[in-house]
Amino acid sequence: MDLSDFTGYVGVDIGGQSVRVGTLRDGELVVRDFATPSEYAPAAEQIVALARELAGGTPRGLGIGSPGPLDWRTGHLLWTPNIPWKDVHYPRLGDTLGCPVHVDNDANVAGLAEATLGAGRGHQIVSGFTLGTGIGFFTIMGGHIYHGRLDVEGGHQLIDPNGPRCGCGARGCLEAFASASAIEARTGKKPSEIDDPEFWKEIGRYLAWGITNINVLVCPDVVVLAGGMIQRGPMLFTPLLEYVQQFNCVLPPPTVKVAELGHQAGIYGAIVLARQGHGT
Ligand SMILES: [Zn+2]
C-alpha cells in the first residue's frame, strides 16, 4: 500500500495514559500527544486543534482507536475501565472538524495496521491476537475490519469447560489461561519474570489451540501475534509453532507471524481507518 495515499487523514489513538494524534506526511509518521485528561471535553478540544495542525486545515477524515466497550457503528463509548470518561460521542468531533469520523476498538485498529502496513500486508485475510493483560482478537478481510453481529472476541473462545473462571464470567476461555493477568493470578509473577521453559511450553500449547480453532473457523492467510508477551521470543514461539503444526489436522496450519509495528500499531491503524472507513 502506498503511504502517500494517506496524506490529509488523521488518526487518534486513545490510551489510559496518553492520547496520540498522528498523520502520514510524505510517508513519514508525525505524532503529537498529550496526557489523557480525566474529562473528555478538554481532550476533544486538543484532538480538534492537533488534527487541524497536522492536516494543515480540515482533515480528509478522522479515525479513532478507543478502548471499549463501544458501539463502532455509532462511535458511542459508554464507559471504559481505565479512563473516567462516560457517554462519549466521538463522531461529534467530525461536526466541529467538518470531516467524516470512523471509530473502532483499539485491538481492531491495531490489527488493521498490522494487516495493511505490518506483518500481514499483502494478505487478504489476516487474523490475530494481542497478548496483553487480556487477549484481544481481530480479523481483517480485504483491508477492512470484520465485526460480525457485534464484534468478534477470539480471546474468549472456550478452551476447557472445566478451566479457571474468566473475567467475562465463563469458565476456561483462552484469556483465562494465557493472558498476562491470568498468568499473574496463577503464578504470582509477571510474564516477564518467568523463565521456566516448561511453563512457556504450556502457554504455547494454549495459544496453539486458539490458533487452531481460528484456522478451522476463519481459515486466515496469516495469524499475527502482538502485545507485550511476544517479547518472550523463542521461549514462547518455538513450542507454540510446534503445537500449531501438530494440532492442525484437517487444514494446513496458517502462517503465524509476529507483529511488526509495536506501539505504533494503534496510530497507524487509526490513520488507515480514517481513510478506509468501516468494515462489516
Ligand atoms: Zn472469557
Side-chain angles (χ1 to χ4, degrees), residues 170-259:
R171 269 194 188 282
C173 299
L174 179 61
E175 180 168 306
F177 286 104
S179 65
S181 56
I183 289 171
E184 207 169 332
R186 197 155 72 247
T187 65
K189 292 180 182 170
K190 294 185 193 310
S192 58
E193 297 167 342
I194 302 173
D195 294 320
D196 175 7
E198 286 303 310
F199 177 83
W200 287 108
K201 199 173 162 186
E202 185 193 337
I203 298 298
R205 190 170 51 129
Y206 290 129
L207 292 172
W209 274 326
I211 291 167
T212 303
N213 289 341
I214 296 308
N215 194 34
V216 291
L217 291 168
V218 180
C219 200
D221 298 306
V222 182
V223 174
V224 177
L225 299 179
M229 222 184 294
I230 64 173
Q231 286 162 9
R232 295 317 316 227
M235 190 133 54
L236 172 62
F237 290 118
T238 303
L240 183 152
L241 293 174
E242 281 173 15
Y243 282 125
V244 167
Q245 295 294 324
Q246 185 183 325
F247 295 160
N248 280 275
C249 297
V250 67
L251 294 171
T255 302
V256 179
K257 288 189 169 183
V258 175

Side-chain angles (χ1 to χ4, degrees), residues 155-156 166-170 173 175:
H156 295 276
C166 180
C168 74
C173 299
E175 180 168 306

Side-chain angles (χ1 to χ4, degrees), residues 5-276:
D5 293 348
F6 294 98
T7 302
Y9 291 93
V10 174
V12 185
D13 181 20
I14 310 264
Q17 302 298 317
S18 66
V19 175
R20 308 179 79 225
V21 185
T23 195
L24 284 163
R25 204 175 277 161
D26 301 323
E28 291 293 317
L29 184 64
V30 183
V31 179
R32 305 272 186 275
D33 64 357
F34 57 92
T36 307
S38 56
E39 302 272 328
Y40 173 65
E45 276 180 28
Q46 295 210 58
I47 290 168
V48 166
L50 290 173
R52 283 187 178 133
E53 180 200 321
L54 289 168
T58 302
R60 297 172 75 184
L62 191 75
I64 301 176
S66 169
L70 56 82
D71 183 336
W72 60 270
R73 288 185 176 85
T74 63
H76 181 204
L77 173 71
L78 298 104
W79 70 283
T80 192
N82 299 316
I83 306 175
W85 300 353
K86 290 224 163 31
D87 207 24
V88 170
H89 290 268
Y90 289 118
R92 288 178 190 161
L93 293 167
D95 300 337
T96 312
L97 282 166
C99 71
V101 175
H102 301 286
V103 186
D104 218 306
N105 79 57
D106 39 17
N108 280 344
V109 170
L112 182 62
E114 288 294 342
T116 51
L117 304 173
R121 66 187 177 279
H123 295 284
Q124 191 67 11
I125 304 174
V126 182
S127 290
F129 293 98
T130 53
L131 308 173
T133 309
I135 295 188
F137 176 75
F138 57 84
T139 288
I140 312 297
M141 293 185 176
H144 291 277
I145 297 164
Y146 173 76
H147 296 91
R149 180 170 55 87
L150 295 172
D151 202 0
V152 286
E153 287 284 359
H156 295 276
Q157 59 177 292
L158 187 61
I159 296 292
D160 176 0
N162 300 313
R165 185 76 70 187
C166 180
C168 74
R171 269 194 188 282
C173 299
L174 179 61
E175 180 168 306
F177 286 104
S179 65
S181 56
I183 289 171
E184 207 169 332
R186 197 155 72 247
T187 65
K189 292 180 182 170
K190 294 185 193 310
S192 58
E193 297 167 342
I194 302 173
D195 294 320
D196 175 7
E198 286 303 310
F199 177 83
W200 287 108
K201 199 173 162 186
E202 185 193 337
I203 298 298
R205 190 170 51 129
Y206 290 129
L207 292 172
W209 274 326
I211 291 167
T212 303
N213 289 341
I214 296 308
N215 194 34
V216 291
L217 291 168
V218 180
C219 200
D221 298 306
V222 182
V223 174
V224 177
L225 299 179
M229 222 184 294
I230 64 173
Q231 286 162 9
R232 295 317 316 227
M235 190 133 54
L236 172 62
F237 290 118
T238 303
L240 183 152
L241 293 174
E242 281 173 15
Y243 282 125
V244 167
Q245 295 294 324
Q246 185 183 325
F247 295 160
N248 280 275
C249 297
V250 67
L251 294 171
T255 302
V256 179
K257 288 189 169 183
V258 175
E260 293 179 359
L261 301 174
H263 75 287
Q264 302 288 30
I267 195 75
Y268 274 120
I271 296 167
V272 175
L273 181 67
R275 178 177 177 270
Q276 299 190 196

